[in-house]
Amino acid sequence: MTTNTTPNTVSSDSFIPVNTQTWVNGRHVVRCVKVIQETRDVRTFCFMAEQPVMFFFKPGQFVTLELEIDGQQVMRSYTISSSPSVPYSFSITVKRNPGGLVSNWLHDNLDEGQELAVHGPVGQFNCIDFPADKVLLLSGGVGITPVMSMARWWFDTNADVDMVFAHSSRTPSDIVFWRELDHMASRVSNFSLHLISERIENGQAWHGYRGYLDQAKLEMMAPDFMEREVYCCGPTPYMKAVKKLLQDNGFDMTRYHEESFGEAPEGVEEQAIEAAEIAQEEADALTQSDMSWVTFSNSGQSVQIAPGETLHSAASKLGINIAKACGMGICGTCKVQVKEGTASMNHNGGITDDDIAAGYVLSCCSVPDGDVVVEY
Ligand SMILES: Cc1cc2nc3c(=O)[nH]c(=O)nc-3n(C[C@H](O)[C@H](O)[C@H](O)COP(=O)(O)OP(=O)(O)OC[C@H]3O[C@@H](n4cnc5c(N)ncnc54)[C@H](O)[C@@H]3O)c2cc1C
Ligand code: FES
């Protein structure tokens, strides 16, 4: 829930770096201190904490916002687009999603001075865990946010990292952070910028590439791309095309890292369709013994679900609201503990090995192996 209580200024006396606490993964109340219109449908929101906090995180990681909209609690994940090299605040950069609840709410309602809760920072897609001296940063649309955070980090810290940054947009006016990208490219020799625009509007000056990223453009932008660590984020079709391009070249895919913002990542969608088909085929043959009982220990409520149904869907059937943001095992928002029985989880990095060992699962992507009791 957002509140509007505090003036939008922070006394510089509050900043005493040696005494300032640092950010750790958890729930934090932060205040919006700046809103920046980046393009026609993209805005950056900057946040600070009431008591100054050094917002350290791994560039590429994200936070999950906890909001109350029309009386309902909703959670959505957003990448931290700023860099931990400027640690007294952090920012997220949000694109309006046509018909989308939270992105439009943020654009229409979130203003300077308002407070809200964020969870995080978390995320395995980051540039700290995969050190490299030559990188290729590939982004499409608002998928620029994590790789921008990485580029800002390397730029600000004078890192000895050779960066090729290739960004694809619909039109030149949709390029987020264009001026800052140009600025970085003009200041250091280890930052090479390449912009690709799907189409050019009438009267627009354009010196970049046109169309889509393909083999020829990749070779021109980064002839040595096979030697680079690749970070990719963008719409699902964009990421699929990039992955195929690299695979066709025999690229070592252990050096390819990607982040998906919403649609099911490759494989999950197909698995879901397959699961639905199997469920349909088996529906007639389904007997009581094929169904699983899911019991939620806090309320003592139980529900019987069909094979393939998730723990989150079991909770929804009972009107139990387990917070959910990404719906695909990335953000960790929907974590619950299985107290009895087991569940099979198909996650995308949103849970640690320690949590798994302690019996936690992500309810959005976990199906019970039989009857289970879930603590919730
Ligand atoms: C790790 C991670 C990082 C992310 N980082 C960013 C970021 O940096 N910037 C950013 O902009 N986004 C980011 N996202 C995406 C973000 O979390 C939201 O998914 C996005 O803003 C859309 O949310 P929304 O509430 O506006 O849309 P939703 O309400 O979730 O709707 C999404 C889409 O589904 C459609 N829809 C909704 N309900 C229905 C229905 N009943 N029937 C048919 N269609 C429907 C909507 O029209 C809309 O197009 C990230 C996501 C993840 C998982
Ligand atoms: S909602 Fe993100 S992991 Fe389940």
Side-chain angles (χ1 to χ4, degrees):
M1 179 169 168
T2 61
T3 47
N4 195 347
T5 50
T6 328
N8 178 36
T9 50
V10 177
S11 160
S12 57
D13 299 346
S14 336
F15 296 137
I16 307 168
V18 287
N19 296 339
T20 307
Q21 54 176 314
T22 54
W23 205 16
V24 286
N25 182 11
R27 183 182 185 276
H28 309 269
V29 174
V30 293
R31 182 158 43 92
C32 178
V33 291
K34 210 185 291 171
V35 180
I36 301 162
Q37 188 79 37
E38 303 282 2
T39 67
R40 60 191 139 193
D41 57 1
V42 176
R43 276 186 181 188
T44 291
F45 301 91
C46 306
F47 300 96
M48 293 179 86
E50 202 46 57
Q51 288 300 316
V53 169
M54 295 277 213
F55 291 102
F56 291 134
F57 58 93
K58 296 177 181 177
Q61 288 192 308
F62 63 92
V63 288
T64 298
L65 308 193
E66 180 189 310
L67 300 163
E68 196 178 306
I69 302 178
D70 298 333
Q72 297 287 315
Q73 189 195 62
V74 281
M75 320 248 318
R76 289 288 184 283
S77 301
Y78 291 98
T79 303
I80 307 164
S81 52
S82 54
S83 159
S85 47
V86 186
Y88 280 105
S89 65
F90 73 92
S91 60
I92 60 170
T93 301
V94 180
K95 180 175 181 293
R96 272 189 193 273
N97 201 314
L101 177 66
V102 172
S103 58
N104 290 295
W105 187 93
L106 291 169
H107 275 249
D108 296 336
N109 297 281
L110 186 60
D111 217 338
E112 294 172 9
Q114 276 172 266
E115 289 185 342
L116 53 78
V118 299
H119 299 255
V122 288
Q124 296 191 345
F125 181 73
N126 69 79
C127 66
I128 303 295
D129 293 339
F130 311 99
D133 51 13
K134 283 170 86 170
V135 298
L136 173 59
L137 304 172
L138 296 172
S139 58
V142 79
I144 195 171
T145 52
V147 290
M148 188 64 185
S149 177
M150 295 176 192
R152 284 170 162 162
W153 168 251
W154 284 316
F155 179 83
D156 290 349
T157 56
N158 299 308
D160 191 13
V161 173
D162 185 293
M163 295 172 260
V164 173
F165 196 116
H167 177 67
S168 299
S169 66
R170 283 173 300 181
T171 74
S173 53
D174 290 308
I175 300 169
V176 189
F177 311 129
W178 191 353
R179 265 185 248 162
E180 189 179 341
L181 290 166
D182 269 345
H183 171 78
M184 288 198 272
S186 71
R187 303 279 291 182
V188 294
S189 59
N190 60 334
F191 185 84
S192 158
L193 175 65
H194 303 272
L195 298 171
I196 308 162
S197 183
E198 203 178 305
R199 55 178 198 277
I200 315 299
E201 285 160 349
N202 279 344
Q204 239 171 359
W206 181 244
H207 305 292
Y209 295 92
R210 287 179 188 219
Y212 296 108
L213 177 66
D214 55 22
Q215 177 79 24
K217 292 188 187 74
L218 187 60
E219 282 172 9
M220 277 189 277
M221 296 183 306
D224 58 352
F225 71 91
M226 293 291 281
E227 296 161 23
R228 292 176 179 268
E229 197 82 15
V230 178
Y231 292 90
C232 177
C233 184
T236 305
Y238 169 85
M239 290 202 293
K240 272 189 180 163
V242 168
K243 214 168 167 179
K244 180 166 187 315
L245 196 55
L246 294 174
Q247 278 166 339
D248 288 351
N249 280 280
F251 188 80
D252 171 8
M253 296 309 278
T254 60
R255 304 184 64 212
Y256 170 81
H257 313 278
E258 68 173 24
E259 179 87 294
S260 167
F261 276 2
E263 290 158 279
E266 200 174 18
V268 174
E269 210 171 348
E270 287 77 357
Q271 283 166 24
I273 292 167
E274 208 177 305
E277 281 168 0
I278 292 167
Q280 186 59 43
E281 279 167 22
E282 291 177 352
D284 293 338
L286 215 60
T287 63
Q288 282 296 99
S289 63
D290 296 316
M291 308 280 279
S292 302
W293 280 104
V294 181
T295 303
F296 293 91
S297 60
N298 292 356
S299 62
Q301 288 175 284
S302 298
V303 65
Q304 222 176 3
I305 58 169
E309 283 194 77
T310 64
L311 296 177
H312 196 279
S313 127
S316 302
K317 285 183 172 174
L318 291 168
I320 297 172
N321 179 28
I322 301 176
K324 178 173 154 186
C326 70
M328 54 186 185
I330 293 178
C331 69
T333 307
C334 62
K335 191 172 74 179
V336 294
Q337 196 173 20
V338 176
K339 300 299 259 186
E340 285 173 34
T342 58
S344 299
M345 178 167 48
N346 183 13
H347 72 91
N348 283 294
I351 188 163
T352 62
D353 290 343
D354 285 350
D355 275 348
I356 294 172
Y360 287 96
V361 295
L362 300 175
S363 59
C364 72
C365 55
S366 297
V367 295
D369 298 323
D371 295 349
V372 291
V373 177
V374 173
E375 186 171 280
Y376 199 81

